[in-house]
Amino acid sequence: MRFRKDRYPSPMCTFPTWMVASQKWRTLQRHYKYVIHEDGGVMTKVNNHQKVAHSDKCIEIQSQTVNMTTAVTFTIEGCHHGYKCYKFHKRGDQIIEIESSGIVDRPSEACSEHNFETRDSFETLLPDSTLAANSCPHVGRYDIVGTSTEDICSNRKSTASIGCDTPHEMTFNHFCEGNSINDVELQVVKDSFVCHGHWGEDGVHYLIATDKNSVTSCLVFNKEAGGMRVSNHLATCPRSPVSKQYPDKVRSLDFSVTSLGQCNSSSAGWSAKMGTTVFVLLTSVFLSSILLPAI
């Protein structure tokens, strides 16, 4: 038996300069990294154990604009090899999304429409380094309604503050009132996020942000009657309300918001009113205890 070594093509082009500039990119959940070789013509996807998922050589740039590049690659994926099509989307200085096709035998077929999967095939990539903070979208204060997440407490009132305290911070405040007239304590549970970058597409806004537990996710803002629907997704930025690829990765935040006005608007003073109410109640209890005669 005689064995013949396959001869694979060499790179004939380079990947986008804005992708090559940061040679290592990671997925949202840090499960995989994309490593761009120094010559800019080879891209390798590896997992956390440095096992190669696939390797891609740039063969042809089919189209290129400032923020989008379509490229044909020669791809080796396990025991399979052939030609693949990639669409690289620049969403900001530190956000890239990738669309990829299946593997075919001829480069001329790689970028055909029928070779692409559904629009849920986007993969979100971030630099494998510390992410810089950037201004949040939808600046203002909001009332949170219609939540489908687990209740944090009973008698809850929740509000959102986006870009008000600092331009790059978004907070969700949950005010938990006491359950009885003698219980005047007000517990505040705060979820905070740092914004890194955002973009709009077909009327939907996508935001990459990191929470206080250092978990980075994609928050999706969908317009609806009277406000917006906000949800966060841990694996990717889905183009449908519920991701078909990652149905179990959607949650943690999923609610509607209605505007309370700008950051300095008087209509956004619910939390201040709550603080005043608690102060008055505490003062009343204290005065009652010192003015009423002991029995």
Side-chain angles (χ1 to χ4, degrees):
M1 182 181 293
R2 298 180 64 183
F3 294 94
R4 180 175 59 87
K5 185 176 180 180
D6 285 338
R7 299 183 66 180
Y8 299 144
S10 299
M12 301 171 65
C13 54
T14 58
F15 292 106
T17 54
W18 35 263
M19 190 172 185
V20 177
S22 180
Q23 291 185 329
K24 290 184 179 181
W25 297 82
R26 65 171 178 86
T27 56
L28 273 180
Q29 291 185 297
R30 300 178 181 271
H31 291 170
Y32 290 95
K33 291 181 182 179
Y34 280 82
V35 180
I36 313 298
H37 294 212
E38 289 184 2
D39 60 5
V42 180
M43 175 177 70
T44 304
K45 183 179 181 179
V46 298
N47 64 14
N48 290 332
H49 303 290
Q50 298 303 307
K51 182 178 179 180
V52 175
H54 57 76
S55 181
D56 308 272
K57 297 178 181 179
C58 187
I59 299 300
E60 179 188 1
I61 300 295
Q62 286 210 341
S63 64
Q64 193 166 34
T65 63
V66 175
N67 295 319
M68 194 270 196
T69 297
T70 301
V72 177
T73 66
F74 181 80
T75 299
I76 301 174
E77 189 171 336
C79 296
H80 304 285
H81 63 268
Y83 295 93
K84 199 171 183 177
C85 185
Y86 282 96
K87 294 182 180 180
F88 301 98
H89 302 267
K90 182 183 179 182
R91 303 304 191 190
D93 292 336
Q94 51 187 355
I95 305 170
I96 290 176
E97 283 195 308
I98 294 180
E99 289 181 274
S100 60
S101 72
I103 296 177
V104 294
D105 294 329
R106 291 191 287 268
S108 59
E109 299 177 351
C111 292
S112 60
E113 286 298 324
H114 71 270
N115 196 33
F116 269 89
E117 299 176 7
T118 65
R119 294 193 69 210
D120 245 359
S121 62
F122 283 85
E123 191 168 25
T124 306
L125 301 183
L126 308 170
D128 189 31
S129 58
T130 303
L131 294 174
N134 281 313
S135 298
C136 301
H138 305 295
V139 174
R141 299 191 187 276
Y142 299 85
D143 190 17
I144 297 177
V145 296
T147 178
S148 62
T149 54
E150 184 180 350
D151 283 339
I152 296 174
C153 58
S154 59
N155 299 329
R156 185 181 70 182
K157 172 72 176 179
S158 298
T159 62
S161 171
I162 303 179
C164 291
D165 299 323
T166 57
H168 59 263
E169 187 176 20
M170 175 172 54
T171 59
F172 302 102
N173 297 304
H174 309 287
F175 300 91
C176 304
E177 300 177 53
N179 293 322
S180 67
I181 194 169
N182 294 323
D183 183 2
V184 294
E185 293 184 357
L186 181 71
Q187 180 188 7
V188 180
V189 180
K190 179 179 179 180
D191 292 324
S192 60
F193 289 81
V194 173
C195 300
H196 302 298
H198 61 90
W199 70 98
E201 183 182 335
D202 298 331
V204 180
H205 264 100
Y206 302 90
L207 166 67
I208 301 300
T210 300
D211 67 16
K212 59 186 178 183
N213 297 316
S214 299
V215 175
T216 303
S217 61
C218 178
L219 285 88
V220 181
F221 297 79
N222 280 284
K223 289 184 179 180
E224 61 181 15
M228 296 183 296
R229 189 76 186 179
V230 183
S231 60
N232 75 328
H233 305 258
L234 302 179
T236 187
C237 294
R239 265 43 181 195
S240 57
V242 178
S243 172
K244 296 175 182 178
Q245 276 189 308
Y246 309 99
D248 58 333
K249 301 300 183 184
V250 180
R251 227 174 50 239
S252 154
L253 293 180
D254 187 9
F255 48 71
S256 295
V257 297
T258 58
S259 177
L260 291 174
Q262 298 300 316
C263 293
N264 57 357
S265 173
S266 59
S267 62
W270 189 90
S271 59
K273 292 178 181 178
M274 284 300 300
T276 303
T277 302
V278 173
F279 175 76
V280 171
L281 285 171
L282 289 174
T283 303
S284 299
V285 171
F286 173 75
L287 291 175
S288 297
S289 64
I290 61 174
L291 295 176
L292 289 177
I295 298 176

